[in-house]
Amino acid sequence: MIAAQLLAYYFTELKDDQLKKIDKYLFSMRFSDDTLKDLMSRFKREMEAGLGRDTNATATVKMLPTFVRSIPQGSEKGDFIALDLGGSNFRILRVKVTQDKKQPVQMESQVYETPDDIIHGSGSQLFDHVADCLGDFMEKQNIKDKKLPVGFTFSFPCAQTKLDEAVLVTWTKKFKASGVEGADVVKLLNKAIQKRGDYEADIMAVVNDTVGTMMTCGFDDQRCEVGIIIGTGTNACYMEELRHIDLVEGDEGRMCINTEWGAFGDDGSLEDIRTEFDREIDRGSLNPGVCSFEKMISGMYLGEIVRQILIDLTKRGFLFRGQISETLKTRGIFETKFLSQIESDRLALLQVRAILQQLGLDSTCDDSIIVKEVCGTVSRRAAQICGAGMAAVVDKIRENRGLDHLEVTVGVDGTLYKLHPHFSRIFQQTVKDLAPKCDVTFLLSEDGSGKGAALITAVGCRQRELDAQQH
Ligand code: GLC
């Protein structure tokens, strides 16, 4: 007992002294309310610029029209295939939407490996792989003789002029297959399917994962008019008034806009809040110079930011007895899932130390305290700036409708949001503080993007039938 008390006392003493220095060191990554408010206004301006005809070309937030005009009505039905490429897994789903009250949506799915040599190879290899997996899935489902409508969740920025055409603007996250940027991914996939020649597919809709998430939640809650992903990457979509979208004809009604907010700051406008560590991970990334906002927030990058800070703290003699081990020099060792584990309140310091040791980082208990503090600072910054972006989106919807008060639901998905012990709480609190006139309900979407793609496909099928009747 006495030993335990002594130990606790020792840690507290140590914490106070060391943490003061560390606190000072991490100061530039802690934002005041004013900074967050300012960030929210800057983001709102950038959204306006993305929507404007004359300003879109230079805006960093591209505000891509999705040609999804309504949230589901709940009356959709049919048998669909959904492909989900670009999140943490490549998945194929069979989604049956019925009018059954108890279980309106039934899904069966399979995850397929997408090895690095495929996502970094040629575009035709990538789409051949997708077509092969789809063939395998249809075989297993015994539906190779059917031509089912397919919804394609493709979680990258795409320029669309209709639901079933999507030109990849640029790869983001881990993907870098050649010859796809500037091409219509529906054409590429159709070509790969035709090359096989053993089954047919009718690709009806290409959908961003944010849009799929919004649609899935919208099926259960008609007030869901925003979708957000906080996972490997981050992005948001929302229902905008058509009269504000200069790049699409028409003034009546609304259309879902894929903001592609990850690119916010790519013109240098976030330099005042970025740090040397952010610049360092940018330099070492697959796509230097772009996705500035995303690189400060999403799961693909947070662990790397922590690693950069740990290297610097070691160089300064604060950590690991000043010794930079080979492990610490290894890019990617500090995965974001370790951040989640280390920050868990249920974990005692000795367990944090055990995790670091598992990672090959020979740490003392003092080291564990500091590492935990670094992780907390990096994830809090991410949650707050992400919250500032979300606050701008919901407040824009409120202003669009001339309301003093808006009630809105946001569909959310993504591993970081779901698995991190504090991210969602800090994110939601920031939205509340920055957008006090909006009453926001956050709805977690399960299997969101695939199911959403099927729902959009259902809406697309209905539209196609109507068009056929009219002509
Ligand atoms: C990246 C993609 C975007 C996607 C997001 C979440 O930011 O560019 O399209 O929605 O990741 O997966």
Side-chain angles (χ1 to χ4, degrees):
M1 183 63 195
I2 292 177
Q5 274 170 352
L6 271 177
L7 209 63
Y9 172 76
Y10 170 69
F11 283 148
T12 329
E13 281 300 289
L14 173 94
K15 214 169 141 188
D16 278 353
D17 179 43
Q18 290 267 37
L19 282 186
K20 258 185 213 141
K21 288 184 198 150
I22 301 292
D23 211 41
K24 207 165 154 201
Y25 173 87
L26 293 171
F27 183 74
S28 62
M29 297 187 99
R30 300 208 166 112
F31 298 147
S32 66
D33 293 351
D34 285 345
T35 306
L36 291 172
K37 265 186 210 145
D38 178 48
L39 195 63
M40 171 184 170
S41 329
R42 283 195 239 175
F43 185 73
K44 238 190 208 173
R45 280 201 297 276
E46 203 58 23
M47 285 168 80
E48 305 284 355
L51 289 172
R53 188 180 304 279
D54 302 330
T55 41
N56 173 271
T58 51
T60 55
V61 178
K62 282 296 177 212
M63 306 294 280
L64 302 166
T66 63
F67 291 82
V68 168
R69 293 171 194 268
S70 61
I71 49 175
Q73 295 170 349
S75 59
E76 291 69 21
K77 53 181 194 294
D79 191 357
F80 309 98
I81 299 281
L83 299 174
D84 187 352
L85 183 71
S88 18
N89 286 314
F90 168 40
R91 293 200 317 154
I92 304 185
L93 303 92
R94 179 157 180 205
V95 187
K96 288 184 192 157
V97 190
T98 59
Q99 290 297 295
D100 185 288
K101 288 258 166 351
K102 272 201 199 122
Q103 203 189 359
V105 182
Q106 290 165 33
M107 299 200 285
E108 286 171 83
S109 73
Q110 189 168 337
V111 170
Y112 288 90
E113 294 277 311
T114 36
D116 277 358
D117 57 330
I118 287 192
I119 61 182
H120 298 160
S122 72
S124 54
Q125 270 174 313
L126 174 65
F127 284 94
D128 284 351
H129 175 68
V130 173
D132 289 349
C133 297
L134 182 55
D136 175 77
F137 185 80
M138 291 178 73
E139 180 102 51
K140 287 191 176 136
Q141 288 279 325
N142 238 330
I143 46 172
K144 243 177 152 183
D145 54 333
K146 293 191 180 162
K147 190 178 179 185
L148 291 186
V150 176
F152 186 9
T153 305
F154 185 65
S155 312
F156 300 97
C158 287
Q160 294 191 269
T161 52
K162 48 187 174 171
L163 211 50
D164 60 354
E165 181 196 272
V167 174
L168 176 66
V169 178
T170 172
W171 285 119
T172 53
K173 299 175 284 193
K174 298 186 174 119
F175 281 66
K176 199 84 194 161
S178 60
V180 187
E181 288 170 340
D184 174 10
V185 295
V186 176
K187 284 213 181 85
L188 295 181
L189 182 54
N190 272 332
K191 204 165 134 198
I193 294 172
Q194 276 155 20
K195 203 158 76 187
R196 282 178 53 108
D198 59 339
Y199 68 88
E200 287 184 303
D202 189 2
I203 304 161
M204 298 274 309
V206 180
V207 179
N208 188 262
D209 50 356
T210 54
V211 185
T213 299
M214 180 189 83
M215 292 298 269
T216 302
C217 294
F219 192 66
D220 301 322
D221 177 347
Q222 292 275 315
R223 285 187 322 183
C224 183
E225 297 188 79
V226 183
I228 177 171
I229 301 283
I230 311 167
T232 312
T234 182
N235 189 16
C237 72
Y238 72 104
M239 295 305 290
E240 178 56 275
E241 308 300 316
L242 211 50
R243 65 177 192 279
H244 293 168
I245 311 174
D246 286 358
L247 300 178
V248 178
E249 296 273 312
D251 280 338
E252 289 296 309
R254 295 177 183 144
M255 182 179 282
C256 179
I257 288 288
N258 165 14
T259 64
E260 282 297 326
W261 76 12
F264 180 39
D266 287 358
D267 55 355
S269 63
L270 289 181
E271 283 318 293
D272 55 335
I273 63 163
R274 284 174 88 220
T275 62
E276 193 40 48
F277 311 118
D278 297 306
R279 290 184 196 103
E280 187 56 41
I281 65 147
D282 180 54
R283 282 193 284 272
S285 69
L286 270 178
N287 50 359
V290 296
C291 302
S292 312
F293 195 54
E294 178 163 86
K295 285 174 182 165
M296 295 172 83
I297 296 173
S298 74
M300 185 164 162
Y301 306 100
L302 291 195
E304 266 305 277
I305 302 179
V306 168
R307 189 180 69 90
Q308 292 300 336
I309 300 177
L310 299 188
I311 291 180
D312 191 54
L313 280 170
T314 312
K315 276 188 197 152
R316 291 167 191 257
F318 280 120
L319 268 178
F320 306 131
R321 304 174 189 88
Q323 299 297 311
I324 302 182
S325 59
E326 281 310 309
T327 319
L328 196 56
K329 283 188 208 153
T330 317
R331 185 173 295 164
I333 55 126
F334 212 94
E335 288 174 52
T336 300
K337 68 173 183 215
F338 295 122
L339 232 91
S340 296
Q341 289 175 11
I342 288 172
E343 285 189 64
S344 161
D345 290 332
R346 280 175 306 190
L347 220 61
L349 275 178
L350 282 175
Q351 288 168 294
V352 173
R353 189 174 169 201
I355 295 177
L356 293 175
Q357 245 131 15
Q358 257 173 38
L359 279 172
L361 298 170
D362 186 16
S363 59
T364 62
C365 272
D366 323 9
D367 292 340
S368 314
I369 301 174
I370 298 173
V371 172
K372 192 166 177 165
E373 187 63 22
V374 171
C375 291
T377 306
V378 169
S379 59
R380 166 173 283 271
R381 180 184 75 150
Q384 286 183 326
I385 63 174
C386 191
M390 183 77 319
V393 170
V394 289
D395 210 46
K396 179 158 190 349
I397 299 181
R398 184 188 62 78
E399 282 173 5
N400 280 348
R401 301 181 190 175
L403 298 172
D404 281 338
H405 180 82
L406 172 80
E407 282 187 27
V408 69
T409 298
V410 175
V412 196
D413 207 346
T415 41
L416 182 59
Y417 184 90
K418 283 182 177 169
L419 301 181
H420 191 279
H422 309 299
F423 194 101
S424 57
R425 181 180 40 81
I426 300 170
F427 166 75
Q428 291 183 14
Q429 187 59 48
T430 310
V431 177
K432 207 170 178 182
D433 293 345
L434 295 182
K437 294 182 179 169
C438 300
D439 185 358
V440 187
T441 305
F442 293 92
L443 205 64
L444 208 57
S445 126
E446 293 298 336
D447 275 331
S449 34
K451 185 168 154 186
L455 293 171
I456 294 168
T457 307
V459 175
C461 286
R462 204 164 50 192
Q463 191 57 45
R464 205 185 263 185
E465 279 163 20
L466 282 176
D467 291 349
Q469 279 164 16
Q470 279 164 9
H471 291 115

